[in-house]
Amino acid sequence: MTTTDLTAPAPSSADAVGTNRWYLASAPIVRALVHLCVPMAAAMIVGAVYNVINAGFIGSLHDNALLAAVTLGTPILGLVMAVGGVFGVGGGSLVSRLLGAAEKDPAQAAQVRHVSSFAVWGVVITGVVLGVLGLIFLGPLVSLLGADAAATSATTTYVAVMLAFVPVLTAAFCLEQLVRAEGASRQVMVGLVASTVANLLLDVLFILVLHWGVAGVALATGLANLGVVVYFAAWLTRHSEHMSLAPRWFTLSPAVLKPVFGVGVGELLQASFLIVTSLVLNNLAAAYGDGPLAAMGVAVRIAQVPEFLLMGVTLGILPLLAYAYGKGDRSRLVAALRVSAITVGGLGVLFSAVVIVFRDQVFSAFVSDPGVLTIGATILTAQLVAMIANGFAGLMTSLFQATGRATPAIVMSVSQGVLFIPIVILGNLWFGLAGIIWALTVSEVLVCLIGAGLLVASRRRIEDGLADGSPERAEAMLEQAEA
């Protein structure tokens, strides 16, 4: 889907069946949902497959300390996503807006090469600095991650290799967003699927053949993402009309920095909450030994597959909600919400039921310790219930963003982290390991209830906005949604 298609001024573009504008303006809701959400969901599921592959190969070694090391290293990956999001999401959204503006003012397209060069080289430089600092303070960092004596060695090895690849990992995420900004969803899928296959083959080589353990896992992930960087960079160089990765276009102009960081910092704040909650969770769970920590890591990776599918729906539907709201089309907005809610609820319940029924078989593919299997089944159940609540909370967040309700959207974005930390601490204090396991579930349900309350409180303003809707504001709201 290209931003040019979405913002084209031609009056007839909305009526042309099969165009991107048609999907937003008048396509049957189900068809529009498939068109907008399937690519987003597929991209997220590919990321979840990465995690499952890594956990599966480590689990085949039947060493809980190794699984614990991968789990403890999760915040490092969260930091990578956060840094990549600052430059990638911020830069990609600005590129999309500039390409849209170029439909009316072709001179705007000249700014795109400055944005793309700044995003790529900015994220690489930042990645190098973070990687070097992490390696310098590797010992204290591993302790901060919550590694106990049994897991310290493996965690140190895993984190060290990951830190060496931080510039590559951040660049891969940034370049993915830049390619997506041009609407090249097929190319993004090709790159991510090829990277997954490469990761699988490298896991076989490094873990099963060379027996490099967690170092092999980290090295496989780093090299697979290096392949992504090469592919996306080559595609942009050969096929992008306006983007350039050449250092000569790098700029620190406020016209580039302000909008890139204006959007990207929001991604950083949200990711920072996730990192903090992971650190708190890891440190509390580590007190119960490597078994529960290993089970938690496996359960999280299994639950991520359906969770990312639901996120694909809740994030993919946002442009349609924004367009309908800006146009003042109440019936289409309500229909899109209804179908999205049914999809989120149906998929969540279906996947949860299947995974719960076959939880023992699924877990046994990763671990063989009977104690870990028992704990893992409970953790997985808690994760799946939290996933369903998170799906509905995400849908409400998308509605707030699409309708310009900034305060409710911000509250929804930060409430999980704000609630989770005291809940998991008190849960551990009052109920022990069970309190830690169910803390995320309680937090997600509360966030969902908060969202419902905010929705009721915002309903009048949303209705007033619909009454004032216009085609011109549809364009403005769509730009805001993409940003």
Side-chain angles (χ1 to χ4, degrees):
M1 180 168 61
T2 63
T3 305
T4 301
D5 292 334
L6 296 178
T7 56
S12 61
S13 63
D15 300 324
V17 175
T19 62
N20 292 317
R21 178 65 66 84
W22 175 76
Y23 281 107
L24 292 174
S26 55
I29 293 297
V30 173
R31 289 189 62 180
L33 191 71
V34 171
H35 176 79
L36 294 168
C37 300
V38 169
M40 180 73 72
M44 291 185 169
I45 289 175
V46 167
V49 169
Y50 265 127
N51 293 329
V52 173
I53 289 174
N54 288 340
F57 279 104
I58 285 294
S60 68
L61 302 178
H62 306 300
D63 187 337
N64 289 341
L66 299 183
L67 270 175
V70 176
T71 302
L72 290 168
T74 299
I76 299 298
L77 293 176
L79 176 63
V80 168
M81 295 291 287
V83 174
V86 170
F87 293 91
V89 176
S93 63
L94 179 55
V95 165
S96 294
R97 290 197 299 274
L98 289 171
L99 291 176
E103 290 294 305
K104 296 179 180 179
D105 180 9
Q108 294 290 329
Q111 186 77 344
V112 170
R113 58 194 177 192
H114 292 292
V115 177
S116 57
S117 181
F118 167 76
V120 170
W121 291 105
V123 83
V124 168
I125 293 170
T126 304
V128 168
V129 172
L130 291 175
V132 170
L133 289 176
L135 289 171
I136 291 174
F137 298 102
L138 183 59
L141 178 60
V142 170
S143 298
L144 180 64
L145 291 173
D148 61 12
T152 295
S153 177
T155 304
T156 300
T157 300
Y158 179 76
V159 171
V161 178
M162 292 299 295
L163 287 171
F165 278 100
V166 165
V168 173
L169 298 172
T170 54
F173 186 79
C174 177
L175 285 166
E176 175 192 337
Q177 306 310 310
L178 293 179
V179 174
R180 195 186 302 280
E182 287 212 341
S185 58
R186 184 177 65 85
Q187 283 70 29
V188 171
M189 288 298 97
V190 169
L192 293 179
V193 171
S195 178
T196 302
V197 173
N199 198 92
L200 173 61
L201 296 176
L202 291 172
D203 274 335
V204 172
L205 174 63
F206 295 152
I207 300 172
L208 301 184
V209 178
L210 299 178
H211 306 291
W212 287 353
V214 290
V217 173
L219 184 59
T221 301
L223 292 178
N225 276 274
L226 181 60
V228 169
V229 171
V230 172
Y231 173 77
F232 285 152
W235 188 89
L236 286 171
T237 301
R238 295 175 182 175
H239 300 286
S240 177
E241 181 181 356
H242 302 293
M243 277 197 252
S244 173
L245 307 182
R248 70 176 181 275
W249 300 115
F250 182 88
T251 180
L252 294 177
S253 167
V256 173
L257 267 65
K258 185 176 179 179
V260 168
F261 288 132
V263 173
V265 168
E267 294 289 318
L268 179 62
L269 291 175
Q270 186 175 18
S272 297
F273 271 108
L274 296 178
I275 294 172
V276 172
T277 56
S278 294
L279 290 173
V280 173
L281 182 62
N282 287 343
N283 279 275
L284 292 176
Y288 295 91
D290 289 339
L293 197 60
M296 196 171 295
V298 174
V300 168
R301 283 164 174 77
I302 295 172
Q304 275 182 339
V305 175
E307 181 181 359
F308 284 171
L309 183 60
L310 298 191
M311 288 177 65
V313 175
T314 59
L315 296 177
I317 198 65
L318 196 153
L320 178 57
L321 297 176
Y323 191 93
Y325 177 75
K327 186 179 180 181
D329 192 341
R330 184 182 188 280
S331 62
R332 189 164 179 80
L333 178 68
V334 172
L337 277 174
R338 183 187 303 115
V339 173
S340 300
I342 292 173
T343 302
V344 167
L347 290 176
V349 171
L350 175 62
F351 276 94
S352 298
V354 171
V355 172
I356 288 175
V357 168
F358 297 102
R359 61 184 180 274
D360 291 340
Q361 292 86 342
V362 172
F363 249 92
S364 62
F366 300 96
V367 292
S368 58
D369 187 335
V372 175
L373 288 173
T374 302
I375 299 172
T378 303
I379 296 175
L380 185 57
T381 302
Q383 290 283 334
L384 291 171
V385 175
M387 172 202 69
I388 296 175
N390 179 262
F392 286 109
L395 183 58
M396 287 184 281
T397 301
S398 289
L399 174 63
F400 294 141
Q401 292 171 339
T403 56
R405 308 270 71 82
T407 300
I410 293 173
V411 171
M412 292 293 288
S413 296
V414 303
S415 58
Q416 185 197 64
V418 171
L419 290 172
F420 177 78
I421 294 176
I423 288 174
V424 73
I425 292 175
L426 292 176
N428 178 56
L429 183 64
W430 293 341
F431 304 106
L433 181 59
I436 295 177
I437 291 173
W438 290 97
L440 180 62
T441 307
V442 174
S443 301
E444 293 289 6
V445 170
L446 288 177
V447 171
C448 192
L449 293 175
I450 290 172
L454 291 171
L455 182 58
V456 171
S458 302
R459 183 172 180 178
R460 180 177 294 277
R461 289 183 176 273
I462 293 174
E463 292 284 356
D464 291 342
L466 283 166
D468 296 334
S470 67
E472 289 76 20
R473 202 177 72 184
E475 303 291 346
M477 294 305 300
L478 188 57
E479 273 193 29
Q480 180 180 343
E482 290 177 337

